[in-house]
Amino acid sequence: MEQRVSLVTLGVADLARSRSFYEALGWKTGASPADDVVFFQAGGMIVALWGRQQLAEDTAVEDSGGWGGITLAHNERSPAEVDAVIEEARAAGATIAREPAATFWGGYSAVFLDPDGHAWEIAHNPHWTLGADGSVTL
């Protein structure tokens, strides 16, 4: 197996609400309003939104409704860009779980929750290289 992730699918309670939220962040999709899954190109991978019940059934897991132990991350080139993304998320209706601040590891980050409670860390890590296409290199 090659060392990469191709797709992350978020199980959502209300597909239209979640789609509107991500579109309010500026994300683009080719999905029609009637589609039961929404795909977004996210750099070199894809983020999908799909009904939580359908995703649990398809993945053969029991949905306990709690946090799944995963946090998604989006890296930016500067602390100011982290601040800007958090304000975009706030305007789109996100819950800001952790306001932007310096971190113990020498970076700067914040966390927002999407309408279904999926956690997104928005971070500037001065120890990583962020390419023009958004790719991250250790």
Side-chain angles (χ1 to χ4, degrees), residues 21-136:
F21 173 79
Y22 283 95
E23 288 175 337
L25 291 178
W27 289 35
K28 308 284 186 237
T29 182
S32 76
D35 289 348
D36 70 344
V37 65
V38 177
F39 296 105
F40 296 100
Q41 187 69 50
M45 62 180 292
I46 296 167
V47 172
L49 306 176
W50 195 20
R52 187 174 178 107
Q53 182 177 349
Q54 292 94 328
L55 180 60
E57 182 179 317
D58 184 65
T59 311
V61 299
E62 184 177 332
D63 182 5
S64 64
W67 179 60
I70 295 174
T71 298
L72 303 167
H74 173 90
N75 283 68
E76 286 292 346
R77 291 170 182 79
S78 70
E81 289 181 1
V82 170
D83 292 343
V85 169
I86 289 299
E87 291 311 313
E88 281 182 276
R90 191 185 317 270
T95 298
I96 308 305
R98 183 166 44 82
E99 293 289 340
T103 66
F104 69 91
W105 45 266
Y108 185 83
S109 74
V111 175
F112 74 78
L113 306 178
D114 78 1
D116 288 277
H118 298 293
W120 281 86
E121 179 185 31
I122 309 302
H124 166 65
N125 186 333
H127 310 292
W128 291 357
T129 302
L130 190 59
D133 66 352
S135 61
V136 179

